[in-house]
Amino acid sequence: MKTNASRILPWLFGLPLLFGLAACEDVVREFFGGYTPREKYEHALHQAGIDQTALGSDWIAAAAASLDEAIPVTAPYSENSYLDPREATATTYQVSLRRGQRLDVTFESAPDTAYHVFIELFVIRNTPNEFARYIASADSLERKLTYLVRRDGDYLVRVQPELLRGGRYSISISAGPSLGFPVFGANTSDIGSWYGDPRDGGRREHTGLDIFARRGTPVLAAADGVIRSTRGNRLGGNVIWLRDDFGRMLYYAHLDTQLVVRGQQVQAGDTIGLVGNSGNARTTPPHLHFAIYSRGPFDPWPALQQTRTTPDPFTGDPLLIDQLVRVTGAEARLHANALVESDALMELPLHTPLQVEAGTGAWYRVRAPDGTVGFVAASMIEAVNGPIRSEVLASGAVLLTDPASTGVAMDLIDAGAEVPVLGAFGEFLFVRGPSGRVGWLSLD
């Protein structure tokens, strides 16, 4: 791979120039119309013939494969990891989001490692042949993606650097409110009625949230936008319709007073009215009925909910990232997520070797010897600094690349040779052969 990389290196240094030409040439711009930053880069690889090289084709294949091997995470999430510039890689994270939330993804690398990194967002479609549909990209140099979530579901965040670029990096994924709270001084504890609650004896459902406060409490613009209506109606009494910059219609009802006029531009936090109980709320304590409409009403709660957006700091050893470690705890488990309560993918016996791919909070993201990727508690592993014991081979053996009969032979070890044992997995020992190469020996 190194030979192949050195052969295509001059071509890759010319790719930024091709990007520049694409920005200046009308014909190229027309051709690239609607293409994502990553697709433009891939097209540049095709134009230069790099897609025909092993490294180029691996880069293209890695993007598709990573979507099928997405790592489940829970926002807020951050990890420290390492990208080997000699390898063509892509990493995809799967996160569940609610309509109305704002997703923020930020990629950071060392200040002296400026390169293109492609951050793309996909949504998993709930269809018989479930697939991921592309919905957004970050600018390849800004390294930040912000997205207003428009439907509940599972989303995929794919991160891929340009060829022959990498090093240590960190990525954070957070999901928080997209709106400010619409009643001054109030919070979620003041919500007395929720979206979907029954109304009129169950004949209809509540289409918003009722936020209770003293009469005359300021009602605030929850987002930047323009006032579309300040009319009154029988149910809502004095109401305000605010269209925000995302095209959502924010509905304020039962106001005591309206303090804005149609066509007025407002900013988030501006006072637009006062809490009251007008309309059909005359017999209830003063409150604001707040709703969001976009092709019909939807639950405003995720757009307002103040969730934790700062991930737990990484408390492990950053020097172990991209290194080989082994299990040191007696009851270690490989978890599906970096949460104690997440599903256990497998039990990890003492001295199981693991390849560390990233660190997050008090966890490492690792790859087990059979290829399974998951999370293990940082307290359960140690660096492979030396052997756990030695083994004298009664007969000759083959050193394999993987702990399986399908592993490729790496080396031959003569009968009577004494080899240091670095770990074990199933019926295989992980050893260092006489030549210095490490691999797997069958116990059979």
Side-chain angles (χ1 to χ4, degrees):
M1 185 173 291
K2 291 182 180 179
T3 302
N4 189 51
S6 63
R7 181 164 63 87
I8 69 173
L9 188 60
W11 286 98
L12 290 174
F13 286 152
L15 290 181
L17 176 59
L18 184 55
F19 277 131
L21 290 175
C24 299
E25 296 291 332
D26 292 339
V27 174
V28 177
R29 180 177 299 175
E30 180 178 349
F31 179 84
F32 279 147
Y35 278 38
T36 69
R38 189 196 161 281
E39 287 171 336
K40 294 177 184 179
Y41 183 81
E42 183 175 333
H43 178 74
L45 298 182
H46 284 288
Q47 291 293 91
I50 296 173
D51 63 306
Q52 301 301 313
T53 67
L55 189 57
S57 62
D58 285 350
W59 188 88
I60 295 170
S66 73
L67 294 178
D68 295 327
E69 301 168 356
I71 302 159
V73 301
T74 301
Y77 177 84
S78 70
E79 70 174 29
N80 296 342
S81 190
Y82 175 79
L83 292 167
D84 189 338
R86 299 168 300 176
E87 298 181 2
T89 60
T91 304
T92 298
Y93 307 88
Q94 180 174 328
V95 58
S96 294
L97 301 171
R98 296 287 309 279
R99 184 179 186 181
Q101 288 185 312
R102 190 186 77 178
L103 171 70
D104 289 295
V105 181
T106 303
F107 179 97
E108 295 182 356
S109 61
D112 59 344
T113 56
Y115 54 86
H116 292 279
V117 61
F118 306 104
I119 305 174
E120 297 171 298
L121 184 66
F122 301 79
V123 63
I124 297 177
R125 303 295 299 271
N126 295 319
T127 60
N129 297 318
E130 192 169 272
F131 65 97
R133 178 174 66 87
Y134 166 84
I135 51 177
S137 284
D139 182 275
S140 59
L141 287 178
E142 286 185 3
R143 302 181 174 195
K144 183 176 177 64
L145 183 149
T146 298
Y147 178 73
L148 175 65
V149 180
R150 301 186 183 276
R151 55 172 284 181
D152 295 353
D154 291 325
Y155 288 76
L156 303 178
V157 178
R158 184 172 69 188
V159 179
Q160 185 173 33
E162 61 181 322
L163 279 168
L164 300 179
R165 297 291 186 271
R168 296 191 177 273
Y169 73 93
S170 65
I171 186 170
S172 65
I173 300 172
S174 64
S178 60
L179 296 175
F181 209 74
V183 177
F184 178 79
N187 55 47
T188 56
S189 65
D190 297 305
I191 299 174
S193 182
W194 297 83
Y195 182 88
D197 284 350
R199 288 290 187 270
D200 296 338
R203 290 191 298 273
R204 65 183 180 92
E205 293 183 345
H206 196 214
T207 56
L209 303 174
D210 287 346
I211 305 168
F212 288 82
R214 291 180 179 274
R215 183 183 304 278
T217 301
V219 171
L220 311 177
D224 297 349
V226 60
I227 303 299
R228 298 303 302 270
S229 175
T230 58
R231 299 178 184 178
N233 62 56
R234 181 179 58 84
L235 294 177
N238 299 323
V239 305
I240 293 173
W241 289 91
L242 188 164
R243 182 182 179 89
D244 74 4
D245 290 346
F246 290 105
R248 297 175 294 184
M249 296 295 290
L250 311 185
Y251 178 63
Y252 300 76
H254 308 314
L255 299 173
D256 184 74
T257 307
Q258 300 143 314
L259 299 178
V260 288
V261 297
R262 185 176 185 275
Q264 182 176 337
Q265 295 281 342
V266 296
Q267 292 183 322
D270 287 350
T271 298
I272 61 174
L274 302 176
V275 170
N277 63 342
S278 58
N280 69 350
R282 289 186 302 275
T283 60
T284 68
H287 66 274
L288 170 69
H289 170 85
F290 180 76
I292 308 177
Y293 288 80
S294 179
R295 296 183 179 179
F298 64 92
D299 190 356
W301 172 238
L304 297 175
Q305 185 184 13
Q306 293 291 332
T307 57
R308 185 170 64 93
T309 57
T310 302
D312 293 332
F314 175 48
T315 58
D317 184 355
L319 296 181
L320 291 184
I321 295 173
D322 197 44
Q323 299 298 313
L324 187 70
V325 299
R326 65 186 168 215
V327 173
T328 186
E331 297 181 356
R333 293 180 176 87
L334 189 68
H335 287 263
N337 207 324
L339 300 168
V340 173
E341 61 271 22
S342 65
D343 293 339
L345 301 177
M346 67 169 67
E347 301 292 327
L348 296 174
L350 185 65
H351 299 144
T352 300
L354 303 167
Q355 180 69 32
V356 176
E357 296 187 343
T360 176
W363 301 79
Y364 290 104
R365 175 162 60 83
V366 300
R367 186 176 294 273
D370 65 354
T372 303
V373 175
F375 296 85
V376 64
S379 59
M380 292 289 184
I381 66 171
E382 65 180 3
V384 181
N385 292 323
I388 55 176
R389 68 175 192 273
S390 61
E391 188 86 9
V392 177
L393 302 185
S395 58
V398 178
L399 192 67
L400 301 173
T401 56
D402 301 288
S405 58
T406 55
V408 178
M410 300 169 56
D411 206 349
L412 296 176
I413 303 178
D414 296 332
E418 183 176 359
V419 293
V421 178
L422 306 176
F425 183 73
E427 300 300 317
F428 290 82
L429 296 179
F430 189 63
V431 306
R432 176 175 286 108
S435 66
R437 303 181 74 178
V438 294
W440 297 91
L441 289 181
S442 173
L443 293 177
D444 293 338

mmCIF file of all heavy atoms in Angstrom, residues 8 109 168 176 316 324 360 410:
data_model
loop_
_atom_site.group_PDB
_atom_site.id
_atom_site.type_symbol
_atom_site.label_atom_id
_atom_site.label_comp_id
_atom_site.label_asym_id
_atom_site.label_seq_id
_atom_site.Cartn_x
_atom_site.Cartn_y
_atom_site.Cartn_z
ATOM 1 N N ILE A 8 0.667 7.653 -6.288
ATOM 2 C CA ILE A 8 -0.422 8.581 -6.609
ATOM 3 C C ILE A 8 -0.299 9.901 -5.868
ATOM 4 O O ILE A 8 -1.090 10.804 -6.091
ATOM 5 C CB ILE A 8 -1.785 7.950 -6.281
ATOM 6 C CG1 ILE A 8 -1.966 7.801 -4.777
ATOM 7 C CG2 ILE A 8 -1.968 6.639 -6.990
ATOM 8 C CD1 ILE A 8 -3.351 7.344 -4.387
ATOM 9 N N SER A 109 -8.963 18.614 14.370
ATOM 10 C CA SER A 109 -7.669 17.928 14.283
ATOM 11 C C SER A 109 -6.592 18.900 14.735
ATOM 12 O O SER A 109 -6.882 20.050 15.084
ATOM 13 C CB SER A 109 -7.406 17.446 12.853
ATOM 14 O OG SER A 109 -7.372 18.538 11.962
ATOM 15 N N ARG A 168 -4.305 12.402 14.574
ATOM 16 C CA ARG A 168 -5.238 12.388 15.700
ATOM 17 C C ARG A 168 -6.319 13.449 15.506
ATOM 18 O O ARG A 168 -6.052 14.532 15.008
ATOM 19 C CB ARG A 168 -4.498 12.598 17.020
ATOM 20 C CG ARG A 168 -3.531 11.457 17.336
ATOM 21 C CD ARG A 168 -3.006 11.516 18.749
ATOM 22 N NE ARG A 168 -2.153 10.366 19.012
ATOM 23 C CZ ARG A 168 -2.599 9.193 19.435
ATOM 24 N NH1 ARG A 168 -3.897 9.021 19.659
ATOM 25 N NH2 ARG A 168 -1.778 8.187 19.650
ATOM 26 N N GLY A 176 -29.671 19.274 20.535
ATOM 27 C CA GLY A 176 -30.269 20.164 21.512
ATOM 28 C C GLY A 176 -31.475 20.886 20.948
ATOM 29 O O GLY A 176 -31.918 20.616 19.824
ATOM 30 N N GLY A 316 -9.622 8.269 29.560
ATOM 31 C CA GLY A 316 -8.671 7.189 29.327
ATOM 32 C C GLY A 316 -7.308 7.716 28.923
ATOM 33 O O GLY A 316 -7.012 8.916 29.013
ATOM 34 N N LEU A 324 -2.671 -1.768 20.350
ATOM 35 C CA LEU A 324 -3.155 -3.072 20.780
ATOM 36 C C LEU A 324 -3.184 -3.107 22.303
ATOM 37 O O LEU A 324 -2.211 -2.721 22.963
ATOM 38 C CB LEU A 324 -2.254 -4.175 20.235
ATOM 39 C CG LEU A 324 -2.721 -5.612 20.463
ATOM 40 C CD1 LEU A 324 -3.950 -5.913 19.617
ATOM 41 C CD2 LEU A 324 -1.598 -6.587 20.137
ATOM 42 N N THR A 360 -13.786 7.504 24.407
ATOM 43 C CA THR A 360 -14.914 8.389 24.683
ATOM 44 C C THR A 360 -15.317 8.238 26.134
ATOM 45 O O THR A 360 -15.576 7.125 26.601
ATOM 46 C CB THR A 360 -16.109 8.081 23.763
ATOM 47 O OG1 THR A 360 -17.225 8.913 24.129
ATOM 48 C CG2 THR A 360 -16.521 6.625 23.829
ATOM 49 N N MET A 410 1.257 -16.456 8.140
ATOM 50 C CA MET A 410 2.245 -15.381 8.153
ATOM 51 C C MET A 410 3.670 -15.904 8.309
ATOM 52 O O MET A 410 4.616 -15.320 7.790
ATOM 53 C CB MET A 410 1.948 -14.413 9.318
ATOM 54 C CG MET A 410 0.606 -13.743 9.280
ATOM 55 S SD MET A 410 0.270 -12.897 10.846
ATOM 56 C CE MET A 410 1.691 -11.824 10.990
#
